Amino acid sequence: MAGNGDAAVHTPHSAPPTAPSARVSIWESVRACGVWGRDVDKAELRRRVVMPLYARRAVAAAVAEKDEAAGVAAAAAARDEAVGGGEGEDGLEVVAPMVVFVNSKSGGRHGPELKVRLHELISKEQVFDLSTVKPSDFVRYGLGCLERLADQGDNCAKDIRANLRIMVAGGDGTVGWVLGCLQELNKSKREPVPPTGIIPLGTGNDLARSFGWGGSFPFGWRSAVKRYLNKAVSASVVHLDSWQAVIRMPEGEITELPHALKKAEPADQLEFSKASGSELTEKASCYKGVFYNYLSIGMDAQVAYGFHHLRDEKPYLAQGPVANKLIYAGYSCTQGWFCTPCTASPQLRGLRNILRLYIKRANCSEWEQIQMPSSVRSIVVLNLDNYASGKHPWGDLKPDYLEKKGFVEAHSDDGLIEIFGLKEGWHASFVMAELIKAKHIAQAAAIKFEMRGGEWDRAYVQMDGEPWKQPLIQDQSTIVEINKVPYHSRMINGDS
């Protein structure tokens, strides 16, 4: 289930030989405390991951100026400066060049401190703070600069571009943001796409858990950071499915768009209309986004929406994973998830009142309607094995149950996605405590939700932890269609 060249494409429904473990063991959590990082020699790590001076200055300048030519000029200046010094000479062996993206707003106080630590371990030019640098600028201008230098006969730049690895220090939303920008390399035929590893700095860290990087930022983090970087140098690369969600609205706009969602261009809207066999009216609008772990509709997204707004308004309340989870629990209680019978608000009723579900099964081109259970108040489309801070709601299903339901064993690169439901808050709590499994609904190669407002004027939706308020029209359908992206993301397997 559910962020490109040297890993083989895995056969659907078979576990890859280097597949990361689905769960983060207690032993791995202890190891993540950083003791093993003390065994990593700092000088040796730098030798393996730091680019030659001229190359890293070129990349940094290209990104800062948003101009490949500025990077080429910076490379020439650095070479002149380093004449006789050796560090900027062409021909220097490049072992495992690495770039790190840091979300300094993640992890409470750890984000800024981690950035300083990374500057010590590698170099300032190879560390990018996502509060000031967009990963799309790095993909367009930083990698573009290396490609231009390579085209000019610079073999060192060519090797850096071919062997580059990326680490992302942040939560699931941050990792998804970087992976989405890297996908542009596939679209523009600029392979290879650098593989991505993770330093878990968020609240849930389900992408990090699923690919062997641990579920939380370790206590002994200064030593552990060396271990993360050292592990990323030679770890194997595995594949991850990604899924595009397209939202077609009869009228209106989505305000407060998350990073994961963008308004579609007219050409994209025309393409989506042809694919669906329906035309968009002049008032209609269309949005698209890619997710790697999950998309959900309902009460869990409503709770996440409230949490994000509180964190933005009062950032001092959200100072780390424990505080974040307490706030989440509080919102779950106050938003009515536990007390539905006590209120008549339509926002708190079952999703079946507003939503119809259609799926396409593997190797099938026809839509099939799936009946929504009346008790479901949150529906989750899950790509990874981990959800909500390492929970496993889909479960390890036995072969006879899989056969009975028409399911197959789920993997992160099998071209299928799992759909389950959560009922009232008590049911969700037992699922999160892993005392019971979620309500299994379907397994699909493509999904379509049709939503009509009725008494509802909105629904809540989230993709990979980024929530938004989705406007609904009483007697017109809003369509959310989910299809697999035709190429995989490449992930560094922290378990290898």
Side-chain angles (χ1 to χ4, degrees):
M1 298 191 293
N4 279 290
D6 55 346
V9 177
H10 309 309
T11 304
H13 320 318
S14 63
T18 57
S21 64
R23 316 300 298 278
V24 178
S25 68
I26 294 176
W27 176 242
E28 277 300 310
S29 298
V30 172
R31 290 183 64 189
C33 288
V35 176
W36 277 259
R38 295 172 187 164
D39 296 333
V40 178
D41 183 75
K42 182 178 176 180
E44 175 63 15
L45 177 64
R46 284 183 57 86
R47 186 191 69 80
R48 300 176 78 187
V49 304
V50 175
M51 304 177 195
L53 178 64
Y54 85 93
R56 62 181 190 259
R57 285 190 179 177
V59 171
V63 173
E65 299 295 328
K66 297 184 180 182
D67 183 1
E68 294 174 15
V72 173
R79 281 198 187 99
D80 292 341
E81 179 184 325
V83 169
E87 187 176 11
E89 293 178 357
D90 289 342
L92 183 65
E93 182 184 2
V94 179
V95 179
M98 191 175 297
V99 164
V100 183
F101 291 103
V102 181
N103 185 345
S104 59
K105 295 181 180 179
S106 292
R109 61 183 174 82
H110 287 305
E113 292 180 350
L114 175 60
K115 185 172 69 170
V116 173
R117 176 60 170 162
L118 289 167
H119 289 171
E120 296 172 357
L121 291 174
I122 46 180
S123 71
K124 288 185 177 181
E125 296 93 344
Q126 288 172 236
V127 179
F128 294 94
D129 188 337
L130 291 171
S131 66
T132 57
V133 175
K134 295 179 180 179
S136 56
D137 289 340
F138 171 80
V139 170
R140 180 174 179 181
Y141 303 108
L143 295 184
C145 174
L146 289 174
E147 290 163 2
R148 182 178 290 195
L149 290 170
D151 290 341
Q152 294 174 358
D154 186 333
N155 289 327
C156 182
K158 183 178 180 180
D159 287 343
I160 292 171
R161 175 65 183 88
N163 297 303
L164 186 68
R165 294 193 165 205
I166 289 175
M167 291 293 286
V168 180
D172 289 344
T174 303
V175 177
W177 185 19
V178 174
L179 292 177
C181 294
L182 290 172
Q183 284 189 349
E184 294 301 317
L185 295 171
N186 285 305
K187 296 176 184 177
S188 56
K189 307 297 182 185
R190 292 171 58 196
E191 289 88 358
V193 177
T196 301
I198 306 169
I199 299 174
L201 204 60
T203 302
N205 299 310
D206 288 307
L207 274 161
R209 295 171 194 271
S210 296
F211 290 96
W213 295 101
S216 61
F217 197 57
F219 293 112
W221 64 271
R222 293 184 63 83
S223 293
V225 169
K226 286 195 295 182
R227 179 171 164 266
Y228 284 126
L229 299 179
N230 188 62
K231 184 193 291 188
V233 167
S234 57
S236 62
V237 177
V238 293
H239 284 166
L240 168 66
D241 286 339
S242 52
W243 298 83
Q244 179 174 261
V246 176
I247 302 171
R248 300 196 300 275
M249 301 168 54
E251 59 182 77
E253 302 286 334
I254 299 175
T255 58
E256 302 174 302
L257 280 176
H259 284 302
L261 204 63
K262 299 288 185 288
K263 191 163 187 178
E265 298 295 331
D268 288 331
Q269 294 192 28
L270 181 60
E271 180 183 339
F272 297 147
S273 295
K274 288 179 178 178
S276 64
S278 61
E279 284 192 32
L280 293 174
T281 65
E282 290 185 6
K283 292 183 179 181
S285 55
C286 189
Y287 296 83
K288 65 176 182 176
V290 173
F291 67 94
Y292 301 86
N293 189 359
Y294 69 94
L295 179 147
S296 69
I297 302 173
M299 283 300 304
D300 70 321
Q302 182 172 339
V303 171
Y305 183 84
F307 167 78
H308 277 254
H309 272 261
L310 178 66
R311 184 171 62 178
D312 290 342
E313 294 169 4
K314 301 177 180 179
Y316 55 87
L317 293 178
Q319 290 295 318
V322 175
N324 289 346
K325 288 172 184 176
L326 288 173
I327 295 170
Y328 259 107
Y331 262 104
S332 297
C333 295
T334 60
Q335 295 299 307
W337 204 351
F338 288 88
C339 306
T340 307
C342 303
T343 178
S345 172
Q347 279 80 11
L348 302 180
R349 298 177 188 160
L351 283 178
R352 194 166 70 172
N353 295 324
I354 64 160
L355 185 145
R356 292 180 180 176
L357 168 64
Y358 302 85
I359 69 168
K360 288 181 182 178
R361 300 188 186 273
N363 303 315
C364 183
S365 60
E366 299 297 323
W367 290 109
E368 173 188 345
Q369 184 172 359
I370 302 295
Q371 292 301 316
M372 279 283 295
S374 60
S375 58
V376 167
R377 297 180 54 210
S378 181
I379 189 166
V380 182
V381 177
L382 185 64
N383 187 37
L384 292 176
D385 192 60
N386 289 287
Y387 168 80
S389 302
K391 304 304 184 293
H392 194 33
W394 188 255
D396 296 314
L397 307 184
K398 296 181 179 179
D400 56 344
Y401 181 83
L402 291 171
E403 183 177 359
K404 176 183 175 182
K405 299 289 287 187
F407 298 157
V408 296
E409 187 178 353
H411 296 290
S412 63
D413 61 350
D414 59 7
L416 295 173
I417 199 160
E418 286 64 52
I419 309 167
F420 66 86
L422 300 172
K423 303 175 185 178
E424 67 284 341
W426 304 110
H427 176 256
S429 297
F430 286 129
V431 171
M432 294 301 103
E434 301 189 322
L435 299 175
I436 60 175
K437 301 305 178 190
K439 179 70 175 177
H440 297 139
I441 297 176
Q443 193 176 47
I447 300 168
K448 180 169 65 176
F449 295 112
E450 180 180 353
M451 295 189 288
R452 290 198 178 196
E455 294 182 70
W456 302 37
D457 60 3
R458 65 189 181 276
Y460 291 87
V461 187
Q462 63 173 331
M463 291 200 311
D464 286 349
E466 293 191 80
W468 70 91
K469 194 184 295 184
Q470 177 63 52
L472 297 180
I473 309 299
Q474 181 176 4
D475 56 355
Q476 298 183 64
S477 295
T478 293
I479 304 295
V480 179
E481 188 169 332
I482 299 169
N483 289 280
K484 183 180 174 297
V485 174
Y487 32 75
H488 290 97
S489 293
R490 302 178 67 219
M491 305 300 297
I492 303 173
N493 180 8
D495 275 337
S496 60

